[in-house]
Amino acid sequence: MKNLLLASTSTLFGSSYLEYLLPKLKSHFKNCKTVLFIPYARPSGISYDEYTQKTASVFAKINIVIKGIHQYENPAQAIQNAEGIFTGGGNTFLLVKQLYHEKIMTTLKETLEKGTPYLGTSAGSNIAGLSMQTTNDMPIVYPPSFKTLGLIPFNLNVHFIDADSQSTHMGESRETRINEFHHFNNFPVLGLKEGSWLEIKDGKIILKGKLSAKLFQKNRIPVEIKPNSELSFIQ
Amino acid sequence: MKNLLLASTSTLFGSSYLEYLLPKLKSHFKNCKTVLFIPYARPSGISYDEYTQKTASVFAKINIVIKGIHQYENPAQAIQNAEGIFTGGGNTFLLVKQLYHEKIMTTLKETLEKGTPYLGTSAGSNIAGLSMQTTNDMPIVYPPSFKTLGLIPFNLNVHFIDADSQSTHMGESRETRINEFHHFNNFPVLGLKEGSWLEIKDGKIILKGKLSAKLFQKNRIPVEIKPNSELSFIQ
């Protein structure tokens, strides 16, 4: 049975890295002495080592040791043996390219389907969807495919934000972009605002955090989803 | 000798489609009775026909007939025979995928290098760069390559906007994204604000419009570029 936390962002404005999630992580990873960290998304281009150290210093507060997947000779084995797994945010193209390069996309999927507790933030949550095609990131590298883990039967748009009605900028809003996505793809997209996360546990998908989420389905009017809603109806 | 106008946007806030560019287009396409329109980027998913009609109604004001490339049996020949060419904005992934699908990326490059006057707006300007990797668009379809026309020796970031220092949103700014791009790619990126365009003519690249542009080079501090600057120094 899957046991996943998929957060829109790692960091809230005015708060430190993972701070708002820490109480939740303590219970989520309660049976883990060690959590395997996947730093491939490299936010602002920081190195695997730097990113892993930054993450380790936060997890130390809840007495969990963080090990970077890049420190293992056999990353597939590291995933299979992990007590818990966390994929951090950054650039989704970079993350997906590296998961394919290391040939661990399928291993990661199979391992998480068996119930290893998982945390994703931002790009690390994107990859739980059917594809990375609703990422907000820049295509700075070319991955061999846009297909991702498919641990949930829809896609996420993380850092979701409603269009600013006061803006004079003519670039597309999130909603316009997701609408364009639905001209060429059929599966639903959940816009997950900063401070929201999905809890996938005991066969249920629950929206957590204080804010609503926005559900986009092809040829339908978008729907506001209230916190604590059960989302298994999304197909 | 190349003869290109590469605009950040087709439309300014409070103004209609192509309105601010129209006087410029009259002189740019002065020797054209007909301009070939490439509607592949399909903004908001509109059809090729709709997009072509919308564009034709504006060009009619300067007595130019617009023909959609999708109306030709042989799109490569349509490009080679065109008096002028305009690629409209929309989704860059969609545009690039279709250019490769129709096998006309090289034909378009060679034709524009010979001097056929060209207008690009937004996605249609992106493709003039070395790659589409600094687009802001969502990867709604998977193109066979991110490589584009390379008519200028750098990339563009269109609809460029400086980071909003008042924002509490934690998604990456344009500058952060371009910085991430430069961790994995070497060529420069020009952030082109809405209302700005590049004029490439007589072997020169000139920044036009009232606003500055921002030049990002790997391992260097970004530089503000003033309107009417000559940009051939960017390599």
Side-chain angles (χ1 to χ4, degrees), chain A residues 95-162:
Chain A
L95 169 59
V96 168
K97 187 183 179 187
Q98 194 61 20
L99 288 171
Y100 277 112
H101 178 77
E102 298 288 356
K103 299 188 175 66
I104 52 177
M105 193 66 94
T106 306
T107 310
L108 184 56
K109 179 181 168 69
E110 288 170 357
T111 304
L112 298 183
E113 279 171 348
K114 283 181 203 155
T116 303
Y118 177 78
L119 167 68
T121 58
S122 193
S125 297
N126 274 339
I127 59 167
L130 293 165
S131 82
M132 56 161 288
Q133 288 174 274
T134 47
T135 177
N136 313 304
D137 296 335
M138 217 173 233
I140 60 174
V141 297
Y142 185 72
S145 167
F146 286 161
K147 205 180 160 195
T148 49
L149 299 169
L151 298 166
I152 50 175
F154 51 88
N155 264 16
L156 294 177
N157 179 257
V158 300
H159 299 283
F160 181 77
I161 188 165
D162 282 307

Side-chain angles (χ1 to χ4, degrees), chain A residues 9 11-15 41-46 90-91 93-94 122 132-146 157-161 166-172 174 176-185 194, chain B residues 9 11-15 41-46 90-91 93-94 122 132-146 157-161 166-172 174 176-185 194:
Chain A
T9 184
T11 312
L12 289 181
F13 181 76
S15 159
R42 299 181 58 183
S44 299
I46 62 167
N91 184 287
F93 291 86
L94 202 52
S122 193
M132 56 161 288
Q133 288 174 274
T134 47
T135 177
N136 313 304
D137 296 335
M138 217 173 233
I140 60 174
V141 297
Y142 185 72
S145 167
F146 286 161
N157 179 257
V158 300
H159 299 283
F160 181 77
I161 188 165
Q166 302 303 308
S167 174
T168 60
H169 188 254
M170 300 299 284
E172 293 90 346
R174 284 297 166 80
T176 301
R177 293 172 195 278
I178 295 169
N179 178 40
E180 289 180 352
F181 169 82
H182 274 144
H183 271 84
F184 305 95
N185 302 275
E194 295 180 343
Chain B
T9 184
T11 311
L12 289 181
F13 182 76
S15 158
R42 299 182 59 181
S44 299
I46 62 168
N91 184 286
F93 290 87
L94 201 53
S122 193
M132 56 161 288
Q133 288 173 275
T134 48
T135 178
N136 313 305
D137 297 335
M138 216 172 234
I140 59 173
V141 296
Y142 185 71
S145 167
F146 286 161
N157 178 258
V158 299
H159 299 281
F160 181 77
I161 189 164
Q166 302 303 308
S167 174
T168 60
H169 187 254
M170 300 300 283
E172 293 90 344
R174 286 295 167 83
T176 301
R177 292 172 195 277
I178 296 169
N179 177 41
E180 289 180 352
F181 169 81
H182 274 143
H183 271 84
F184 305 95
N185 302 276
E194 294 180 344

Side-chain angles (χ1 to χ4, degrees), chain B residues 74-93:
Chain B
N74 186 330
Q77 218 168 57
I79 286 171
Q80 285 163 333
N81 295 338
E83 295 178 279
I85 299 172
F86 168 31
T87 306
N91 184 286
T92 309
F93 290 87

Side-chain angles (χ1 to χ4, degrees), chain B:
Chain B
M1 198 86 93
K2 282 172 276 195
N3 186 10
L4 321 169
L5 292 186
L6 306 176
S8 175
T9 184
S10 64
T11 311
L12 289 181
F13 182 76
S15 158
S16 65
Y17 178 50
L18 296 173
E19 189 179 337
Y20 81 104
L21 281 171
L22 214 51
K24 190 74 216 165
L25 297 184
K26 201 172 172 176
S27 59
H28 185 59
F29 289 124
K30 65 178 182 295
N31 297 323
C32 307
K33 286 182 181 159
T34 300
V35 164
L36 183 73
F37 181 56
I38 302 179
Y40 295 157
R42 299 182 59 181
S44 299
I46 62 168
S47 72
Y48 293 163
D49 277 342
E50 278 177 281
Y51 199 12
T52 302
Q53 278 160 24
K54 181 184 169 185
T55 302
S57 71
V58 176
F59 273 76
K61 295 179 194 169
I62 53 170
N63 298 314
I64 291 173
V65 173
I66 286 287
K67 297 257 188 178
I69 192 168
H70 62 292
Q71 295 159 334
Y72 292 84
E73 259 188 45
N74 186 330
Q77 218 168 57
I79 286 171
Q80 285 163 333
N81 295 338
E83 295 178 279
I85 299 172
F86 168 31
T87 306
N91 184 286
T92 309
F93 290 87
L94 201 53
L95 170 59
V96 168
K97 186 182 180 189
Q98 194 62 19
L99 288 171
Y100 277 112
H101 177 77
E102 299 287 355
K103 299 190 175 65
I104 52 177
M105 192 67 94
T106 307
T107 309
L108 184 56
K109 178 182 168 69
E110 289 171 357
T111 303
L112 298 182
E113 280 171 346
K114 283 181 202 154
T116 302
Y118 177 80
L119 167 67
T121 57
S122 193
S125 297
N126 274 340
I127 58 168
L130 294 164
S131 82
M132 56 161 288
Q133 288 173 275
T134 48
T135 178
N136 313 305
D137 297 335
M138 216 172 234
I140 59 173
V141 296
Y142 185 71
S145 167
F146 286 161
K147 204 178 161 197
T148 48
L149 300 169
L151 297 166
I152 49 174
F154 50 89
N155 266 16
L156 293 177
N157 178 258
V158 299
H159 299 281
F160 181 77
I161 189 164
D162 282 308
D164 174 2
S165 60
Q166 302 303 308
S167 174
T168 60
H169 187 254
M170 300 300 283
E172 293 90 344
S173 70
R174 286 295 167 83
E175 192 150 343
T176 301
R177 292 172 195 277
I178 296 169
N179 177 41
E180 289 180 352
F181 169 81
H182 274 143
H183 271 84
F184 305 95
N185 302 276
N186 296 324
F187 39 97
V189 179
L190 187 70
L192 203 58
K193 290 176 189 160
E194 294 180 344
S196 297
W197 68 92
L198 296 185
E199 191 173 283
I200 293 120
K201 207 176 175 177
D202 303 326
K204 288 180 179 165
I205 306 174
I206 315 270
L207 173 65
K208 293 290 187 177
K210 290 176 191 155
L211 302 174
S212 64
K214 203 160 189 174
L215 175 63
F216 299 87
Q217 291 165 295
K218 189 171 181 153
N219 299 327
R220 294 202 208 167
I221 292 166
V223 181
E224 288 287 337
I225 306 277
K226 287 183 185 161
N228 299 310
S229 297
E230 214 281 311
L231 302 178
S232 299
F233 69 93
I234 306 176
Q235 293 290 341

Side-chain angles (χ1 to χ4, degrees), chain A residues 5-9 20 120-122 125-126 128 134 136 152 154-162 174 178 189-200 205-209 211-216 225-227 231, chain B residues 169:
Chain A
L5 291 185
L6 306 176
S8 175
T9 184
Y20 80 104
T121 58
S122 193
S125 297
N126 274 339
T134 47
N136 313 304
I152 50 175
F154 51 88
N155 264 16
L156 294 177
N157 179 257
V158 300
H159 299 283
F160 181 77
I161 188 165
D162 282 307
R174 284 297 166 80
I178 295 169
V189 179
L190 187 70
L192 204 58
K193 290 177 189 160
E194 295 180 343
S196 296
W197 68 92
L198 297 185
E199 191 173 283
I200 293 120
I205 307 174
I206 315 270
L207 174 64
K208 292 289 188 177
L211 301 175
S212 64
K214 203 161 189 171
L215 175 63
F216 299 88
I225 306 277
K226 287 183 185 160
L231 302 178
Chain B
H169 187 254

